[in-house]
Amino acid sequence: MEGEANGTLNPSCGSSEPPYSEELLRSLDLPGRFLFATLTLMTLIAILVFIEEAVYIYRKIPSSKSSIIIWINAAAPVISTTSCIGMWVPRSTMFTDFTAGIFFAIVIHKFLMMMIKECGGQKVLLRRFENGHFTISTGPCCCCCLCLPHVPITRQTLFWLKLGTFQFAVFRPVLIFLSIVLWTNGNYVLYNLSPKGPALWISCFIGALTLCALWAVGIMFRKVRILLKCKNIIPKFALYQFIVILNHLQTTIINIFATQKIIPCAPPLSSTARGSYISQQLLIMEMFLITVISRVVYRRKYHDLEPPECVTEEPRDKKQAPKIILNGAVVEDALPKRVSEGGHEDVKGLEAKPCEEQLRALGLFSLEEPEERPQCTGVTVPCEGKRRGRTDAFFAVTSDRTQGNGLKLSQGRFRLVIRKKFFIQKVAGHWNRLPREVITEPSLTELKKCLDNALRNRM
């Protein structure tokens, strides 16, 4: 600074190249060395925390989600590591910034895929939001365009959202590779934003691709944030947004201040080199905090969402409960109840009772005078499962060639929930062993009398 007071300028302030590591370390005083050691230690702790968290995620979370979550959690440690390398080796700043940018471009795509996976996958997400719409008037592109129409959620719209993040993960590495090629030829200068240089146009194109990728993630998050609230998607999205703001917006603002000489030079660092130096130190501290918070948020165990069929299938299961009509008498909650012909009621609470009490509960041992039976006895049990064709688990076989009686009950095949059919199977067995004269009685009164005699003889 004495040189500036005497009207002379330090050569390092006018240089566009950062100093070598030896020059930087020799210029550090005791507080500067302590700061270097502290920031390096924070980077090492962040790496160790991430490794421990990655091992935990790999062991505890299904493989379909673990790789995506590990990628997302690695964003903060990778940025912290590249910033620490750039702090120790100032001339590697361009390569460390490019490496962090490529990695975070992939993380943006991974975050979108994580939200789809947390919803159960693409097919389940389409079923959950079958009649839903995406709100595209969201940040960072169209948050003020409220007149934009709502887009229906289809396979095609999901493809375009995934394409919006995937293009950023592909084109940003390509543009960065082009920048390195131009830099080796002397045509690309990192902080030269003149319209004649390629740095300005490449930066603008990367900025447009970044906005498209962030827009796709914002559209998806706005739709699934209520559904995934139980999985803490809002804190996860907040951490992701902080990384975007700190890694891109904060760094860009500091570099603009440094280019405009608002940040003064400090030998051996020029204004632009000092701007990168300050940005790297801030990123190390910020990414360390985000790594620790991410460990708390992502390490918690979250239950999987219920399948979308659960809500709609619950009444269906109730409708498909085993039902029986025997001589017009049915039982509900272990109490006899007379219903009209063709009625159906649930049979409950009879599985643990003996056969006699089960038949008595059905009204077959009652001595009351019932109404005349208009037709033969029938048994109907709706079948569960995905069988096509016949819908009854029991059906009548009327043939004179059968032994015992002419109206046997043939048991269909059902493999699901056998315990619900156990009582009905026992009734069918007893029915098939009844003599022919009992089955052929024209009225319910005579049927009960003959049934009492038949059962008494067996006992």
Side-chain angles (χ1 to χ4, degrees):
M1 298 300 173
E2 293 179 0
E4 292 182 7
N6 296 330
T8 61
L9 185 65
N10 193 297
S12 61
C13 291
S15 175
S16 60
E17 294 293 336
Y20 289 101
S21 300
E22 295 81 1
E23 298 177 21
L24 178 64
L25 294 176
R26 281 197 302 264
S27 65
L28 291 177
D29 53 4
L30 183 60
R33 294 176 182 177
F34 178 76
L35 179 62
F36 258 57
T38 303
L39 294 177
T40 305
L41 181 62
M42 294 175 69
T43 302
L44 293 176
I45 294 175
I47 294 174
L48 293 177
V49 169
F50 165 71
I51 292 175
E52 187 271 338
E53 182 184 2
V55 173
Y56 176 84
I57 292 173
Y58 182 78
R59 290 180 177 179
K60 300 295 183 180
I61 297 180
S63 58
S64 60
K65 299 179 183 178
S66 60
S67 60
I68 295 178
I69 297 177
I70 290 174
W71 269 90
I72 297 173
N73 280 270
V78 167
I79 295 173
S80 178
T81 303
T82 55
S83 300
C84 185
I85 295 174
M87 182 183 68
W88 280 93
V89 187
R91 294 208 171 200
S92 66
T93 299
M94 185 177 70
F95 296 98
T96 56
D97 290 347
F98 284 171
T99 303
I102 291 174
F103 188 86
F104 193 70
I106 300 174
V107 168
I108 292 177
H109 178 67
K110 294 290 184 179
F111 193 86
L112 177 69
M113 299 305 297
M114 185 195 71
M115 290 190 288
I116 297 176
K117 287 285 186 181
E118 293 289 3
C119 292
Q122 179 173 324
K123 294 182 180 180
V124 179
L125 187 143
L126 291 174
R127 261 182 293 169
R128 290 182 187 277
F129 303 103
E130 186 175 0
N131 299 319
H133 293 77
F134 282 124
T135 304
I136 62 175
S137 57
T138 183
C141 292
C142 304
C143 55
C144 299
C145 304
L146 301 179
C147 58
L148 292 177
H150 290 186
V151 179
I153 301 176
T154 60
R155 189 181 299 273
Q156 185 177 6
T157 53
L158 281 181
F159 169 77
W160 285 111
L161 289 180
K162 291 190 287 187
L163 184 63
T165 56
F166 184 75
Q167 55 83 22
F168 185 56
V170 171
F171 285 116
R172 180 159 189 173
V174 172
L175 292 173
I176 288 176
F177 176 77
L178 177 62
S179 302
I180 294 175
V181 171
L182 294 176
W183 173 77
T184 57
N185 196 39
N187 299 326
Y188 184 90
V189 180
L190 185 61
Y191 302 113
N192 183 13
L193 299 180
S194 63
K196 296 181 179 180
L200 176 63
W201 302 106
I202 292 177
S203 299
C204 291
F205 193 55
I206 290 178
L209 297 179
T210 305
L211 291 178
C212 291
L214 297 179
W215 188 29
V217 175
I219 292 172
M220 177 62 70
F221 171 74
R222 186 167 182 177
K223 187 63 183 179
V224 303
R225 60 182 176 181
I226 298 177
L227 177 65
L228 299 181
K229 189 176 181 181
C230 59
K231 292 179 174 290
N232 268 2
I233 192 63
I234 296 178
K236 294 176 183 177
F237 185 77
L239 292 173
Y240 151 82
Q241 291 282 70
F242 276 126
I243 297 176
V244 172
I245 294 172
L246 297 175
N247 187 42
H248 291 81
L249 187 59
Q250 174 184 273
T251 304
T252 303
I253 293 174
I254 293 176
N255 290 335
I256 291 174
F257 287 164
T259 305
Q260 300 299 322
K261 308 297 181 181
I262 298 176
I263 298 177
C265 67
L269 296 172
S270 62
S271 296
T272 54
R274 192 183 180 196
S276 300
Y277 181 72
I278 295 173
S279 174
Q280 290 160 356
Q281 291 179 338
L282 290 176
L283 282 175
I284 291 173
M285 294 183 287
E286 293 160 351
M287 294 302 115
F288 171 77
L289 294 176
I290 290 178
T291 302
V292 175
I293 298 173
S294 297
R295 181 185 181 277
V296 177
V297 174
Y298 283 91
R299 195 180 180 90
R300 291 182 56 189
K301 291 184 178 181
Y302 304 102
H303 298 291
D304 292 335
L305 297 176
E306 294 184 359
E309 297 87 0
C310 288
V311 179
T312 57
E313 283 189 353
E314 184 175 356
R316 190 186 304 172
D317 291 342
K318 293 181 180 179
K319 292 180 181 178
Q320 291 184 353
K323 299 167 186 178
I324 186 170
I325 311 167
L326 196 54
N327 292 331
V330 299
V331 174
E332 182 179 11
D333 296 330
L335 294 176
K337 180 178 179 182
R338 300 291 175 183
V339 295
S340 59
E341 175 188 353
H344 293 266
E345 293 293 339
D346 292 342
V347 179
K348 302 177 182 178
L350 301 180
E351 291 86 349
K353 296 184 178 182
C355 297
E356 282 187 37
E357 295 186 12
Q358 293 173 6
L359 295 175
R360 195 187 307 276
L362 290 174
L364 298 179
F365 277 84
S366 175
L367 298 178
E368 298 177 0
E369 186 68 24
E371 65 276 7
E372 292 296 321
R373 181 167 64 94
Q375 62 179 13
C376 294
T377 303
V379 175
T380 304
V381 180
C383 189
E384 295 184 2
K386 298 183 179 180
R387 294 186 59 197
R388 298 181 180 178
R390 182 162 46 244
T391 59
D392 294 339
F394 293 92
F395 53 95
V397 177
T398 56
S399 174
D400 292 337
R401 299 177 62 182
T402 57
Q403 299 179 0
N405 59 66
L407 185 62
K408 279 196 171 183
L409 296 178
S410 179
Q411 176 183 331
R413 295 183 61 187
F414 43 84
R415 303 172 183 175
L416 303 178
V417 198
I418 297 178
R419 61 182 183 82
K420 294 184 179 180
K421 309 292 194 311
F422 182 67
F423 164 70
I424 305 176
Q425 292 184 38
K426 294 174 67 175
V427 171
H430 287 292
W431 179 267
N432 291 337
R433 286 192 293 269
L434 291 176
R436 182 183 298 270
E437 55 270 14
V438 176
I439 303 301
T440 56
E441 288 295 333
S443 65
L444 184 60
T445 305
E446 298 297 329
L447 172 67
K448 289 185 178 181
K449 290 180 179 179
C450 295
L451 184 59
D452 289 340
N453 294 330
L455 295 176
R456 194 176 297 113
N457 294 333
R458 291 191 179 185
M459 293 170 23

